[in-house]
Amino acid sequence: MKDVYNASSWLVDRNLEEGNGERTAIRTNDEVISYSALQKSIYRVQNALKELDTRREERVALVLNDEPAFPAWFLGCMRSGVVPIPLSTMLTGNDLGEIINDSLARVVVVSAQYARHLPEIAKAAKHLKYGVVVGSESSDADLEVSNWYEFQDSAEAPVADTNKDSPAFWLYSSGTTGFPKGTIHRHFNLEATATTYAKTVLNVTKDDVFFSAAKLFFAFGLGNSLTFPFSVGGSVILDSAWATPRGVAETASKMKPTLFFGSPGLLASILDAGVPSDSFSSVRLAVTAGEALPGEINKHFSSQFGFPVLDGIGSTEALHIFLSNRPDDVRYGTSGRPVEGYKLMLLDDENREIADADVPGYLHVSGESTAVGYWCRTDATKNAFRGEWLRTGDVYVRSEDGYYQFLGRNNDMIKLGGIWVSPAEVEGVLVEHPDVLEAAVVGGYNDDGLETSVAFIVPKAGKAIDEASVEAHCRARMASFKRPRTIVFVTELPKTATGKIQRYQLREQIANR
Ligand code: 3UK
């Protein structure tokens, strides 16, 4: 028999045992929630699960904004040994229904504003029986719908006798193509991200106030706004509204976070929006992830606001960041060095380990926080989970002194004149042009059937750029074989829910030209 271990107890009950009950766990625009109040809301969820006749290891789908109901349901499910599945709040009702159907969930919990999706969800999700709405109960869906606020408090509820390896929660990985994959994480994986990245890179303490523009339903946001603050008895600012540059700056100046998390694109648009320069005066450190942070944006942002910005790479499968810059050691334009507790390796096309520096290879990571596999997707599981190693799908290169630089996703790499060209590298140069806001470079084929490259460029607000100026800019800064062969100006780039550029859409645009 394995020792009992429950992630929800580790994150919350432990804080009460250590005397943190009256400390603030969660702060919203109009509420302050202590650790003991958080624990009570968890008991209430456990009670609700019982009323809904939910059993161990059944899945419960969550379509929740960043509001107190999210941690209550996520942690309440796990405390009962039930498996929560946070889903993207940006999906349509039908998309949500198909994913919930794949998961076989019987219960879905939604924020009031998503109750309108319930009829479509119910149509696609055949096993679904109950809907719970945060703050309402009206719905035309073919479901038994109840209002979360009307469930009874319960004095206490038992902790399920889970262990470190028990299934804890799933996250659907948002691949840029194909149906999303249910990524199964075990109870210990949350603690594994807190004691590695959060502790050794961010040096988190109970005095930290966390604020993440990336929402809780992403693995990135889940660590930033739930695992990390609760792992040390710190507090988190939750904002149910979608992040905008001005909104984020206002919240930061009002609520005084010490740690700020966002995407590279958000940092770029904060710089572009010209927010007051004291907006982030309480922040000691910022983190970006999701895609590579161009060195130029990092330089501007950290010098304008006066704290380091750490670019780090994580994934849904690894749960959080495993390769990162450090507060006292930022190398612009790189993902930094391996996080303590993780091993990395680069493999070549024949799966041989690359020992030499400066040779590109496929990045693999090994650590305690990686998922168990994908739900009902044997081929995809075999491809990504290889013994202790997780194949990330990224091409990286390591410098002589141990810093890793992102070159592109496996199949985003472009071959021009037979030579590999990294789209990330070319994009990094393009965004250094003073009038360029964003750029994406993808491969295509010319009339001769040879591979060529096209740069899609979004100009900064109110700026018109001419092609010649971009060409001159590139000519001065990169080897000629890397220069984009064609330039197209666009008003925006197609992106996934997690903010990643959908390169396949751009490739299709080229093919249709
Ligand atoms: C790419 C990066 C370059 C890379 C994530 C932090 O993004 C997260 O998870 P996803 O599953 O995507 C994973 C893929 O995104 N990527 C992420 N960060 C970087 N590429 N530089 C970076 N800094 O292709 C990776 O394989 O959506 C990020 C924490 C948790 C996460 N889930």
Side-chain angles (χ1 to χ4, degrees):
M1 217 5 220
K2 286 189 176 178
D3 289 343
V4 171
Y5 176 93
N6 186 280
S8 178
S9 281
W10 187 78
L11 286 167
V12 180
D13 302 340
R14 189 173 47 96
N15 270 299
L16 278 103
E17 284 151 24
E18 290 174 4
N20 292 334
E22 294 321 304
R23 289 182 63 87
T24 298
I26 301 167
R27 204 178 276 273
T28 71
N29 259 322
D30 38 39
E31 256 183 301
V32 176
I33 297 170
S34 66
Y35 276 92
S36 57
L38 171 61
Q39 191 184 49
K40 285 215 179 71
S41 72
I42 288 170
Y43 294 158
R44 195 141 68 92
V45 168
Q46 293 186 266
N47 191 46
L49 291 169
K50 221 159 112 187
E51 282 184 41
L52 299 172
D53 196 27
T54 309
R55 293 175 220 177
R56 280 283 288 273
E57 300 206 3
E58 274 184 11
R59 272 75 66 190
V60 169
L62 309 180
V63 187
L64 292 170
N65 289 326
D66 279 24
E67 58 182 325
F70 189 113
W73 276 89
F74 185 79
L75 293 161
C77 285
M78 289 197 304
R79 201 166 184 278
S80 288
V82 169
V83 177
I85 309 180
L87 295 173
S88 168
T89 59
M90 301 167 82
L91 296 173
T92 64
N94 182 60
D95 287 346
L96 288 167
E98 285 183 3
I99 293 174
I100 294 170
N101 191 49
D102 179 72
S103 78
L104 310 180
R106 247 171 22 104
V107 180
V108 63
V109 186
V110 301
S111 294
Q113 86 185 88
Y114 309 116
R116 64 190 153 89
H117 290 324
L118 285 173
E120 267 202 286
I121 290 176
K123 216 183 289 166
K126 296 192 237 8
H127 303 270
L128 206 55
K129 227 176 137 192
Y130 300 105
V132 178
V133 182
V134 179
S136 154
E137 61 195 38
S138 62
S139 166
D140 306 329
D142 185 15
L143 286 179
E144 271 185 53
V145 176
S146 42
N147 181 349
W148 164 227
Y149 292 143
E150 277 160 22
F151 279 94
Q152 297 301 310
D153 268 342
S154 57
E156 210 173 319
V159 185
D161 59 350
T162 48
N163 61 58
K164 287 184 175 174
D165 291 333
S166 302
F169 62 98
W170 298 4
L171 295 170
Y172 271 82
S173 81
S174 61
T176 42
T177 52
F179 192 81
K181 301 182 283 290
T183 308
I184 303 169
H185 282 283
R186 59 183 187 131
H187 272 260
F188 188 67
N189 292 0
L190 293 164
E191 179 175 342
T193 62
T195 53
T196 56
Y197 174 71
K199 184 163 199 302
T200 70
V201 175
L202 303 180
N203 212 340
V204 297
T205 74
K206 61 160 69 165
D207 296 324
D208 276 313
V209 180
F210 294 72
F211 179 40
S212 173
K215 296 296 175 189
L216 276 161
F217 66 79
F218 298 118
F220 184 40
L222 185 69
N224 308 338
S225 295
L226 189 149
T227 320
F228 300 168
F230 301 165
S231 74
V232 289
S235 65
V236 60
I237 298 163
L238 292 185
D239 184 0
S240 61
W242 200 251
T244 63
R246 286 181 188 287
V248 161
E250 272 165 33
T251 302
S253 63
K254 195 171 93 191
M255 312 271 259
K256 307 265 178 266
T258 60
L259 294 165
F260 174 62
F261 305 81
S263 67
L266 181 71
L267 265 59
S269 52
I270 288 173
L271 284 172
D272 208 35
V275 304
S277 57
D278 61 356
S279 304
F280 298 95
S281 57
S282 57
V283 173
R284 65 176 177 87
L285 207 55
V287 172
T288 69
E291 60 184 313
L293 175 66
E296 209 56 26
I297 296 174
N298 192 341
K299 252 182 252 175
H300 286 158
F301 196 94
S302 51
S303 74
Q304 172 153 355
F305 295 106
F307 47 82
V309 180
L310 308 184
D311 181 7
I313 174 183
S315 74
T316 305
E317 291 79 0
L319 193 53
H320 216 280
I321 292 172
F322 51 82
L323 170 59
S324 177
N325 284 278
R326 305 293 197 279
D328 58 355
D329 180 17
V330 172
R331 188 166 297 182
Y332 293 129
T334 79
S335 308
R337 290 176 293 117
V339 171
E340 225 174 278
Y342 294 90
K343 288 186 291 179
L344 298 188
M345 72 176 176
L346 298 175
L347 295 186
D348 68 12
D349 281 315
E350 271 77 51
N351 290 322
R352 287 177 306 226
E353 187 169 355
I354 297 170
D356 295 339
D358 303 322
V359 181
Y362 301 109
L363 183 68
H364 289 66
V365 57
S366 162
E368 286 296 302
S369 64
T370 52
V372 176
Y374 302 122
W375 172 250
C376 286
R377 300 288 285 274
T378 305
D379 289 346
T381 300
K382 282 182 180 165
N383 187 45
F385 299 90
R386 302 179 174 200
E388 70 171 297
W389 295 98
L390 170 70
R391 188 177 174 88
T392 66
D394 299 300
V395 180
Y396 263 83
V397 65
R398 188 184 62 246
S399 67
E400 196 63 64
D401 54 354
Y403 293 76
Y404 285 74
Q405 190 186 358
F406 175 77
L407 298 180
R409 302 275 310 162
N410 280 2
N411 37 20
D412 291 337
M413 295 289 283
I414 306 166
K415 241 181 188 180
L416 292 176
I419 308 169
W420 285 116
V421 173
S422 151
E425 184 190 339
V426 179
E427 288 156 9
V429 172
L430 288 170
V431 297
E432 283 173 29
H433 186 288
D435 298 334
V436 172
L437 178 65
E438 278 187 298
V441 177
V442 294
Y445 291 92
N446 64 17
D447 294 340
D448 294 322
L450 292 173
E451 208 171 338
T452 176
S453 68
V454 180
F456 290 84
I457 293 177
V458 182
K460 282 188 182 159
K463 303 280 180 173
I465 318 176
D466 66 285
E467 211 174 303
S469 113
V470 176
E471 288 224 7
H473 174 87
C474 291
R475 219 173 274 278
R477 286 160 214 253
M478 68 176 83
S480 62
F481 76 90
K482 295 182 183 171
R483 268 201 330 266
R485 304 303 197 255
T486 308
I487 290 166
V488 179
F489 293 105
V490 291
T491 52
E492 61 178 349
L493 298 172
K495 295 200 175 149
T496 65
T498 57
K500 291 186 181 57
I501 297 166
Q502 290 173 305
R503 292 168 193 279
Y504 72 95
Q505 285 217 15
L506 296 172
R507 284 188 205 107
E508 272 169 23
Q509 279 186 37
I510 299 170
N512 293 336
R513 269 160 166 263

